[in-house]
Structures are given as structure tokens and as C-alpha cells.
Amino acid sequence: MLQKFDISWIQEYLPASLDIKQTILLGSLGLAVFSSGHFIWFFMKPLFSPMRSIKSPPGGSFVLGHMPISRKVPTVGAWHRDQLRKYGHVFVYKVFFNQDRLCTTDPKALQHVLNNSFIYQKPSENRYILSRLLGNGLLFVEGDVHKRQRRIMNPAFGTLHIREMTEIFVAKSNELRDVLKKISTSNSSQETAEWTPIEMLSHLSCTTLDIIGLAGFDYHFDSLDHLIRGGRDESELSFAFSQILNAIGGFTLLGILKMWFPIFRLIQFDRRSRIERSSQKTIQTIGRKLVEERKQMLKEDMEKGQVSKAKDLLTLLIRANLVEGGTSGQRDKTLSDEEVMDQIPTFLVAGHETTSTATTWALYSLASHPDVQTKLREELLAFPSDTPTMEELNAFEYLDRVVRETLRYHGVVQGTTRVAEQDDVIPLERPFTDKYGVVRHEIKVKKGDGVLIPIRVVNTLQEIWGDDSEEFKYVFSSSGMILSLFDDMLFSPDRWLDPPKRSASLPSAWGNQLSFIAGPRACIGLRFALVEMKALLFALIRSFEFKLAVDASDVIGDVGIVTRPTLQSRPEEGHQLPFLIKQV
């Protein structure tokens, strides 16, 4: 029957490597899945979940749920905060394909979910995205594999090694300082201008990329140097990594289908898939080369009875592998070469954009609060050297409070999601009333139900942090969309002189806040990130005054893997935060 129809025209829309028969076969396979019982149950599942009785906002499309409206707000987390005001500290909202997701700010419930990592794991759709980026690195794996990798990697992120890496943090921070001084001096001599315009997000992003390259795997990106010479002439590894990030960023229909329905992942001829394959091949080739070079170097040192002076995380992991593999030979005490290699993109994701974005937001708050900036500068200028050690950076009390408040206030990661791998009962500190008027003292969830950990919402919750933590004025459209929002949240480092007692009830790996989450999957690199951020602020605030080059109301957070600043007036220009700087 197929021969009766002229379908040759389809070929011109397909890559040369894919013929019409393959396309028809793939379509038939997709149709079979659509008609299967598993597919039907996927859409029926919410009807049988006990979460149906929990209050939820109206609206939301079948395909995208409440996701668009929750993201299109000037202040990150504003929509979720508004639902909490309407429905209480437990509510349910819709995500893709009409699936339910639980959101709660109850400390006891959050602690239960985060501490039981074998029951509550990353959703399969999130893991699919991470696998395209990270392979089988620490951020991707779950269960016993994660437990083993984490146990092996923990020593590399300990205080001893972070102390040694501080030299890299400080040296690169001072390099950024010198670059900005050169730009400032050049601007002053040419235009006799007191203040110099500078876009800080890109400069900090290049600096932290250079830092994680050296501290993570002794790789020289020289990204900052490329930037000041007229553009980010990125290395092969950096370019491949950025290509993958761009490919998986944003939503497309095919991308959403691939996330939720694995059968569609067989479609590999689209442009994004081709970019991913090419970039992954580059990352794997370079990663394999780095691992082999380190192994060879360490083996030669061991044969000579020498101890390698290398301080990077990759070398530390391989050294631990060689020592444990040589003494015990036990598989559960070592990482395979592939696992070690997969940590390279993991280091890049976890140690690059997170710290650069957090530091940019810190500068935003310091520029918005000149009194805080002045007080911090006075503390830092009292130190007699520009090369502090880790202990000396951690001894600056006001710097520590500024970093704590920045991470609480801005929360570069908006939230994280978990899915129940089995039926469970989540305990509550406070009961809630469901939509039928029944008072509930616990939340029953079925296998497959999703739970949001709303990091930034909890970090700014008024009932925990006090009346000065958040004050909002909303203007709504008739459909309930937030048209404008004036964010008067008070940035106050001195709140950490006497932290609110309620904050002690939060599950937290650090600082009575959720920024690094908690439990077995708490951020392994938190010490790394904190010392790196302090080193950057130390070098910058000692040397420059910062003020915003745009109106503060024009700056909004764009939610992605991290929440990066962008300008409402110029969204087409991408992520940025322009400042004016003046040498001290």
C-alpha cells in the first residue's frame, strides 16, 4: 500500500544519513508507545495519587502545566511564594503533561525528603538532561553508585586540599583585579572619566572557568586572557562544553518529549542531537587524555618514590585510585577510569557558573547598599597583604556575613526536584488543611510523585527570617499573571550576628539555609565554593568601588541551571550585569 503514495518529498527534509524507511519505522515505533498501557498509565497516574486532595492553583496548560507562569516573573520564586500565601505551606501545582508536583516549605518534610536519598531521587527527565552533560558523574548517579562515588571523592574536597587550592583562587582573583585596573586606568587616561563601565558577569565567568580548570584538573583555559584580547576565544574543551549547555538550554517540543518519553530519544538526527554528539566526543577525548596523562605521571612518581605536588582534584582522585587499587584491589574503594573522566564535566558544571553568578549577585547587592560595601572594604583593607590564606579569608567576620547573606538572599539555584521511588509518608512539623477541609498531619505520596525543594523561597521565607526578609507588592492581570513586582527584600549581612532561631530547624549543610541543600546529596564542593567566592570579593572590594550602571529595577534573574542576571530592557543581549567601577 505504501507504494501507492509518493513520499519521496520527505527525503529533502531529512539528513542524508537517514532515509524514509528509518523515519517511518521510528514513527511507527512512537505510535506503538503512544498506544501502550504504560503510556496511558503515565497520564492516568495523577488521578490515583493521594496528592489530588491537596490544594492547588487553577489553570496551567496540559503540555506545560504552570511552568511558564511560574518562570515569567521579575523576581525568582515570586509565583511559588504567592501560591504559599493563598494555599498554605503545602500545595500542588502542574508541570509537564499534567503531572503533579508537591511544593512545601515545612522543615520536617524537607528534611525527610533530603535525608532519604534512596527513596527520593532526581526525576528521570532531569537525569536525562544531566546525562547528556555529565555522563555518569557525581551529580547524575543515584543510590549505591552515588554513595560509593561520594565516599571516594569526599577527601579531595576536605579542608586540607582546599587550603592548598586557595593559592589558585587568590592568584586568579588578583589577575582579575589587575585586568580591571588596566581597563580603568586606560579609560581614565583617555576620557578623564572617574567611573569606568564594565560588565562583570562575563569577567567573573571567565575567572571562575580558569580557576576550576586549574583546581579541577590542571587545565589552562586562559579564558580571562582571551576575553580582554577581544573575545572569548575558548579552548576546545570550553567550546564543546558551552555548545552542550546551549543545546540543552530552553524548551523545544522535541526536547520536552525526549525528557518525558524515552522512546523519542531515538531521534538523533535533529540539530541539537548532532551538536551534543560532537561536543560529547570532544569532551570524552580530552578527558581521556587528561586521565591517562595524570595516571602516567603518578605512576612514574610512585616508581621513583616521589610524591606528586599536583593539587588539582582530578590528580587527587587518580592518586587515591592507584593507592587503593594497589593495596586492596577492592572495586568499592576506587573509581573506574570512565567514572573519573565523567567528573571533569561535573567539576565544570558545579564549580564554574555557580560561583561566578553568586559573586555577581554579591556585587549587585553591595552596589545597591553602599554602606555595606564601605564597611566590607574597611575590613578587607585592614589586612596587610593581597595574598591571604584560607584561614585568613575565613577569619574576616563581615566578609563571611556578606557571603552568607548573598547566598541566602539570591539563591543562584532556585530549587531542586525529587521523585518518590516507592510509596511513602512525609511527616510534617505543622498540619495543613486539604481542599476538602480535612486537617492532615502528614503527606502520603505514591511511587512516581514529584516533590519540589524550593530553595530560594525557603531562604527568604518571612516566617523563618523575619519581617525584613521579604516585602512584595504585586500587580496582577485578570488571568493571574504577575505584571510587575517591586522587590524590597532587605539585604542585611548583620542578621547573621544573631540568626533567627527558626532557621536552625531547616535541613542545611551550611549556614542555616538551603543553598547547598542537605543530606547525602548536599553539595560536596561547598568549602571550595565559599573560599573561592571570598577570594574574589577580597580582591575586588579592596581595589574598587562598585555601583550599578543600570537602574536596579531593570535587573532580573533568568532561571536556568543557575539564576543569572539579565536586563528587562535588553533581554536580547543575554545574561549580563553592567557596573561602574572606580579604583580605591
Side-chain angles (χ1 to χ4, degrees):
M1 294 293 292
L2 196 61
Q3 293 177 347
K4 295 182 179 180
F5 299 96
D6 181 14
I7 57 174
S8 59
W9 58 271
I10 298 176
Q11 189 66 61
E12 65 181 287
Y13 294 97
L14 301 176
S17 59
L18 192 73
D19 62 25
I20 299 171
K21 291 181 180 179
Q22 289 176 306
T23 305
I24 294 174
L25 178 61
L26 193 60
S28 301
L29 193 58
L31 182 61
V33 172
F34 268 86
S35 61
S36 70
H38 178 79
F39 185 83
I40 295 171
W41 172 244
F42 175 83
F43 289 105
M44 295 289 289
K45 179 166 60 73
L47 299 177
F48 297 93
S49 171
M51 293 201 306
R52 283 193 68 202
S53 66
I54 299 174
K55 294 176 182 178
S56 62
S61 71
F62 177 80
V63 175
L64 300 178
H66 290 107
M67 299 298 284
I69 190 173
S70 68
R71 292 166 64 93
K72 290 182 179 179
V73 290
T75 301
V76 176
W79 184 84
H80 292 86
R81 270 191 290 264
D82 186 51
Q83 308 316 306
L84 289 164
R85 288 189 179 89
K86 292 177 180 178
Y87 304 111
H89 66 297
V90 177
F91 75 93
V92 167
Y93 66 103
K94 294 291 184 183
V95 293
F96 298 110
F97 299 107
N98 204 42
Q99 300 299 299
D100 289 327
R101 182 169 292 169
L102 173 69
C103 178
T104 180
T105 57
D106 189 275
K108 192 172 183 179
L110 296 174
Q111 190 162 34
H112 177 82
V113 172
L114 291 172
N115 284 342
N116 289 280
S117 61
F118 277 76
I119 299 176
Y120 295 93
Q121 300 185 358
K122 283 187 173 67
S124 59
E125 61 272 15
N126 288 14
R127 296 184 71 224
Y128 164 66
I129 294 174
L130 288 173
S131 69
R132 294 153 66 194
L133 189 62
L134 307 178
N136 291 315
L138 188 67
L139 291 179
F140 169 81
V141 294
E142 295 282 357
D144 288 327
V145 178
H146 175 270
K147 185 177 179 180
R148 176 177 58 82
Q149 286 195 12
R150 176 83 182 219
R151 184 180 66 250
I152 294 167
M153 293 174 66
N154 266 332
F157 290 90
T159 302
L160 174 65
H161 296 305
I162 302 302
R163 179 184 293 118
E164 295 176 338
M165 292 176 195
T166 303
E167 294 179 17
I168 297 173
F169 303 160
V170 171
K172 281 296 177 182
S173 298
N174 286 340
E175 182 180 328
L176 172 61
R177 174 204 63 194
D178 294 341
V179 165
L180 297 182
K181 279 188 174 182
K182 186 176 180 180
I183 295 172
S184 177
T185 302
S186 174
N187 181 72
S188 298
S189 62
Q190 292 177 9
E191 305 175 20
T192 63
E194 191 176 36
W195 293 89
T196 300
I198 194 81
E199 198 290 295
M200 283 304 301
L201 179 61
S202 58
H203 283 80
L204 283 165
S205 180
C206 289
T207 304
T208 56
L209 180 61
D210 287 347
I211 288 173
I212 193 59
L214 292 172
F217 35 93
D218 195 25
Y219 187 88
H220 292 264
F221 284 109
D222 296 324
S223 183
L224 183 59
D225 183 57
H226 292 316
L227 179 67
I228 63 176
R229 287 195 284 111
R232 293 182 71 166
D233 181 21
E234 296 162 309
S235 69
E236 191 177 12
L237 178 58
S238 176
F239 180 75
F241 188 74
S242 64
Q243 285 284 90
I244 290 184
L245 281 176
N246 291 333
I248 67 174
F251 294 131
T252 64
L253 179 58
L254 181 58
I256 293 171
L257 290 172
K258 285 185 175 184
M259 282 171 56
W260 288 87
F261 306 111
I263 188 65
F264 287 99
R265 298 171 194 174
L266 294 174
I267 301 175
Q268 291 292 313
F269 54 79
D270 58 299
R271 179 176 176 275
R272 287 191 175 198
S273 296
R274 293 197 300 272
I275 291 173
E276 285 175 30
R277 285 198 304 274
S278 173
S279 299
Q280 286 169 348
K281 183 177 180 180
T282 299
I283 292 172
Q284 290 168 0
T285 299
I286 295 175
R288 191 171 291 108
K289 180 181 178 183
L290 289 171
V291 170
E292 289 301 322
E293 287 176 351
R294 298 301 181 282
K295 284 180 68 175
Q296 185 61 34
M297 177 192 72
L298 288 169
K299 285 179 179 178
E300 290 176 359
D301 287 343
M302 292 172 71
E303 289 171 0
K304 296 175 183 177
Q306 299 175 348
V307 178
S308 172
K309 296 181 180 179
K311 304 171 184 177
D312 61 282
L313 296 169
L314 185 64
T315 301
L316 294 173
L317 291 180
I318 296 172
R319 180 191 297 152
N321 260 7
L322 292 174
V323 172
E324 288 293 342
T327 57
S328 66
Q330 295 180 25
R331 174 71 181 86
D332 64 343
K333 291 187 178 181
T334 61
L335 299 175
S336 69
D337 284 354
E338 290 295 319
E339 286 177 318
V340 172
M341 201 169 65
D342 285 337
Q343 306 313 323
I344 293 175
T346 300
F347 294 157
L348 281 172
V349 168
H352 173 208
E353 294 292 352
T354 48
T355 307
S356 63
T357 304
T359 308
T360 303
W361 284 119
L363 294 176
Y364 168 85
S365 286
L366 292 171
S368 302
H369 298 79
D371 56 327
V372 176
Q373 184 179 164
T374 299
K375 184 174 179 178
L376 177 59
R377 183 175 297 106
E378 289 172 352
E379 179 185 61
L380 301 181
L381 283 173
F383 189 73
S385 168
D386 64 354
T387 54
T389 64
M390 181 189 74
E391 286 80 7
E392 288 165 339
L393 284 170
N394 287 333
F396 292 116
E397 295 181 1
Y398 198 63
L399 175 61
D400 185 71
R401 297 204 295 273
V402 167
V403 169
R404 286 173 185 269
E405 184 69 349
T406 296
L407 295 174
R408 179 200 74 84
Y409 181 87
H410 290 289
V412 295
V413 177
Q414 179 190 6
T416 186
T417 309
R418 298 290 184 266
V419 166
E421 295 297 309
Q422 63 186 55
D423 295 356
D424 192 35
V425 176
I426 301 175
L428 293 170
E429 184 177 280
R430 290 186 296 130
F432 72 98
T433 304
D434 69 16
K435 63 183 180 183
Y436 302 113
V438 178
V439 177
R440 305 283 184 180
H441 295 270
E442 59 190 20
I443 304 171
K444 292 182 179 180
V445 295
K446 297 284 286 183
K447 179 180 179 179
D449 285 342
V451 183
L452 173 70
I453 309 296
I455 294 173
R456 189 167 190 268
V457 172
V458 172
N459 278 353
T460 55
L461 202 61
Q462 199 169 38
E463 63 189 64
I464 293 176
W465 300 99
D467 293 338
D468 65 353
S469 65
E470 58 165 349
E471 294 177 8
F472 293 94
K473 300 175 183 178
Y474 299 92
V475 179
F476 293 95
S477 70
S478 58
S479 64
M481 175 70 78
I482 299 175
L483 297 177
S484 61
L485 178 149
F486 302 92
D487 185 353
D488 297 319
M489 290 168 61
L490 182 62
F491 180 88
S492 177
D494 283 340
R495 79 172 67 250
W496 295 100
L497 289 170
D498 184 21
K501 290 181 174 57
R502 283 276 294 160
S503 67
S505 67
L506 294 175
S508 176
W510 171 86
N512 288 26
Q513 54 182 275
L514 272 176
S515 300
F516 295 103
I517 62 172
R521 296 201 69 103
C523 176
I524 193 173
L526 70 89
R527 293 185 189 90
F528 185 109
L530 291 170
V531 178
E532 180 185 13
M533 188 173 174
K534 288 178 179 180
L536 287 164
L537 289 173
F538 176 87
L540 294 173
I541 299 302
R542 273 169 57 99
S543 304
F544 305 97
E545 289 183 43
F546 287 84
K547 68 179 182 180
L548 291 172
V550 296
D551 192 278
S553 63
D554 195 24
V555 181
I556 59 173
D558 181 34
V559 178
I561 294 178
V562 295
T563 303
R564 289 178 284 188
T566 190
L567 304 181
Q568 293 190 83
S569 61
R570 307 199 295 267
E572 71 282 355
E573 295 179 7
H575 302 117
Q576 60 173 312
L577 192 45
F579 287 88
L580 297 173
I581 63 172
K582 181 173 68 172
Q583 291 192 49
V584 174

